Every structure is written in C-alpha cells, then in structure tokens.
C-alpha cells in the first residue's frame, strides 16, 4: 500500500486549517492566558504592577496564587451589579436589533436583485466611518442643545429639552445603531437562500401570509437570527466607547470597569479577573449556539437518510 504524499487531500486540509488555528493561538489564546495569569497575581506598586506567580529561591520553587480579584467579584455588590447591568443592556440591545433588523433583512432579501445591492450598501455604509466618529455624532444629536432637541422645540412638540444624553437611553440608542448591521447581514444571508417554493406550497395549501411566515419563513431563518443575536450580544456586553461617550456616571458596564481598573486604579490583577469572568460568561451563549448548530446538522443528516 502506497504512502500518501504531502500533496494528498488530508495534507491539503491540514495546510488550509493550520493558519487560522495558529492565528487564533497567537492573538487570542496566548493573550488570554497572559490575562489569566495576571488575574491570579496580587497587586504591587511597581513595574509591572503585580506580583509574580512563581519564585525560585534557595532551590525551592514557590507558587503563589492570589484569589483576591475573584473574591471581590463575588462579594462586592458593585461588580455584581455591573455584570447584571451589562448583561441586561446587551440583552435589550439584542432584542431591539431583532425587532428592527428582521423586517429590514426580510425586505432586502425579498427586494428586486437590481435594488438589493443598493440596500445592502446602505447597511454597510456606516462601517466606512470610524465608530468613534459615529458615536461622537450621536453626542451632537442627543445632547440638550443638540440637533434632536432643537428640531422638536422648533416644531413645537416639546417646551423643554429632553434629557437623553448621559442616560441609559442614549447608550441603548448608540448600541442599537452600532450593532444593527451585525444582525441584519447574517440574517439576510440566510433569508436570501431560502427556497421560495416552500412558501408557494404553503399558499397552495391555504395558509395565510402570516401563517406561512410563522410556519415556514421564521423557522428556516432561526439560524440567521441566532447568529445575528450572538454577533450583537457578545460585543455589547464588553462595550466601552459607547457607554463612556453617551452614558452617565451611573451607567455600569464591564468595559468601563475594566478601563478604570487598568488605567485609573492601576489594579491589573482585579481588571484581569473581571476580564476572565466576562470571557467565561460570553462562552455560555457560544456553547449553546454551537450545540444548536450541531443538533441541526445531525437532524439534516438523519432526514437525508
């Protein structure tokens, strides 16, 4: 039996798979392991501002792991409230993106091919501008003497400026605006590939449009909905720029807490512990999404048999 040469199919697969894995290991796994190491250190005034985990003295290796950061996370009400508020704001943002983004993605997917490209360009166009500039534009729109309040007062709809800037409402507006395209694009890719003959069959069997949507379109589009929801929820939890520029002093989100611990308090172990717990928290929806994807693939294979 002849041996497989390097250019055979298995080797080609490894050659195609290896670069992404190496990239993830260097720029995702390695930095996370470094942060995980710092999270078990103790605070020290110096450079670096944390104690080493291992120390070799008189041929004795000493390993010192500090759980101060993790203990504070589960005992300090500030950090608990910050985690809960971050998850709440990310969940509300995801729901708002679903309610706004699903009709938009559905309309784009069902529009004429000649118009579809222009509509998609309108969704992608904001990415051509820096997120910082786009959020700063919302500052000029939402502040008390901004564009929105001046317009409403000139129309006679309000007598006093609306207090939107530096509130949670402003943060929600900024988050939905920034992450709405991340929900629309994967859902559009799912809807545009749907077999329209299934809807025609539903209509032929007497189903009304809303019934055909609930029975055919919505179930088939669930993978796109889940993928878009993950793309919105995960970065929203750790968002820093939008809460910092649009939120008030009472707007508690993990991104602001990590920034304050790293740069204002110079407490790297505490900031690293906050980061590690947040990463573990975000792994839960990823695992659930992967589980649902595997179940769906297995269901298709069983149906094919």
């Amino acid at each position: 039996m002849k041996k497989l040469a390097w250019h055979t199919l298995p080797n080609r697969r490894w050659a195609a798979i290896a670069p992404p894995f190496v990239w993830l290991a260097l720029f995702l796994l390695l930095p996370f392991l470094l942060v995980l190491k710092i999270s078990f250190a103790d605070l020290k005034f110096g450079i670096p501002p944390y104690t080493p985990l291992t120390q070799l003295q008189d041929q004795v290796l000493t390993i010192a792991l500090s759980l101060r950061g993790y203990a504070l996370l589960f005992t300090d009400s500030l950090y608990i409230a910050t985690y809960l508020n971050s998850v709440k704001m990310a969940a509300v943002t995801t729901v708002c993106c679903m309610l706004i983004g699903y009709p938009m993605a559905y309309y784009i997917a069902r529009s004429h091919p000649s118009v579809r490209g222009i509509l998609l360009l309108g969704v992608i166009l904001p990415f051509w501008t820096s997120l910082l500039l786009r959020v700063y534009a919302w500052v000029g729109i939402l502040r008390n003497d901004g564009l929105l309040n001046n317009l409403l007062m000139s129309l006679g709809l309000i007598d006093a400026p609306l207090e939107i800037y530096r509130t949670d409402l402003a943060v929600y507006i900024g988050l939905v605006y920034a992450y709405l395209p991340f929900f629309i694009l994967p859902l559009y890719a799912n809807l545009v590939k749907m077999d329209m003959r299934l809807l025609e069959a539903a209509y032929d069997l007497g189903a009304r449009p809303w019934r055909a949507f609930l029975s055919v379109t919505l179930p088939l589009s669930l993978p796109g909905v889940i993928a878009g929801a993950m793309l919105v929820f995960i970065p929203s939890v750790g968002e820093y720029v939008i809460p910092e520029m649009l939120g008030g002093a009472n707007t508690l989100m993990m991104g602001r807490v990590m920034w304050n611990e790293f740069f204002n308090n110079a407490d790297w172990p505490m900031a690293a512990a906050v980061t590690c717990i947040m990463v573990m928290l975000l792994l839960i929806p990823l695992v659930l999404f992967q589980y649902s994807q595997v179940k769906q693939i297995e269901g298709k294979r069983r149906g094919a048999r």
Side-chain angles (χ1 to χ4, degrees), residues 14-72:
W14 278 109
I17 294 174
F21 274 95
V22 172
W23 178 272
L24 290 174
L26 289 177
F27 298 102
L28 181 62
L29 181 61
L30 192 60
F32 176 74
L33 293 177
L34 178 61
V35 172
L36 182 64
K37 169 201 163 188
I38 296 175
S39 70
F40 287 106
D42 202 358
L43 180 62
K44 182 187 75 172
F45 294 99
I47 300 176
Y50 56 89
T51 58
L53 298 185
T54 59
Q55 185 177 5
L56 182 61
Q57 187 176 5
D58 297 333
Q59 298 182 353
V60 176
L61 179 64
T62 305
I63 301 177
L65 301 180
S66 175
L67 299 178
R68 179 186 66 92
Y70 294 99
L72 282 175

Side-chain angles (χ1 to χ4, degrees), residues 23-249:
W23 178 272
L24 290 174
L26 289 177
F27 298 102
L28 181 62
L29 181 61
L30 192 60
F32 176 74
L33 293 177
L34 178 61
V35 172
L36 182 64
K37 169 201 163 188
I38 296 175
S39 70
F40 287 106
D42 202 358
L43 180 62
K44 182 187 75 172
F45 294 99
I47 300 176
Y50 56 89
T51 58
L53 298 185
T54 59
Q55 185 177 5
L56 182 61
Q57 187 176 5
D58 297 333
Q59 298 182 353
V60 176
L61 179 64
T62 305
I63 301 177
L65 301 180
S66 175
L67 299 178
R68 179 186 66 92
Y70 294 99
L72 282 175
L73 285 178
F74 293 103
T75 56
D76 195 329
S77 59
L78 174 63
Y79 294 107
I80 297 174
T82 302
Y83 274 111
L84 294 177
N85 193 64
S86 298
V87 173
K88 182 198 77 172
M89 297 193 77
V92 173
T93 301
T94 304
V95 172
C96 292
C97 287
M98 287 181 180
L99 297 176
I100 299 172
Y102 198 104
M104 295 177 66
Y106 186 87
Y107 179 78
I108 297 174
R110 297 293 176 264
S111 61
H112 195 272
S114 60
V115 184
R116 197 178 296 163
I118 300 175
L119 297 176
L120 278 177
L121 181 63
V123 175
I124 303 172
L125 197 60
F127 289 110
W128 294 8
T129 308
S130 170
L131 174 64
L132 187 64
L133 295 177
R134 287 185 279 137
V135 176
Y136 193 75
W138 277 105
V139 174
I141 294 173
L142 298 177
R143 60 192 307 172
N144 291 351
D145 56 347
L147 179 63
L148 178 62
N149 279 310
N150 288 336
L151 177 62
L152 295 177
M153 293 179 70
S154 64
L155 295 176
L157 299 177
I158 57 174
D159 298 327
L162 298 175
E163 296 289 340
I164 301 177
Y165 181 54
R166 292 297 181 187
T167 64
D168 287 351
L169 177 60
V171 177
Y172 283 125
I173 293 174
L175 289 173
V176 172
Y177 166 76
Y179 292 107
L180 183 61
F182 290 95
F183 181 81
I184 294 176
L185 293 176
L187 179 57
Y188 159 79
N190 181 274
L191 289 172
V192 78
K193 296 185 297 184
M194 195 178 74
D195 192 352
M196 298 301 296
R197 293 176 298 179
L198 298 174
L199 286 176
E200 295 175 0
Y203 295 146
D204 291 340
L205 293 173
R208 295 180 179 274
W210 64 269
R211 182 65 180 176
F213 173 79
L214 294 177
S215 302
V216 179
T217 305
L218 185 59
L220 292 177
S221 64
L222 280 181
V225 173
I226 297 174
M230 293 296 101
L231 290 176
V232 174
F233 179 82
I234 291 174
S236 297
V237 173
E239 179 60 45
Y240 168 74
V241 174
I242 296 174
E244 181 68 22
M245 297 186 66
L246 298 179

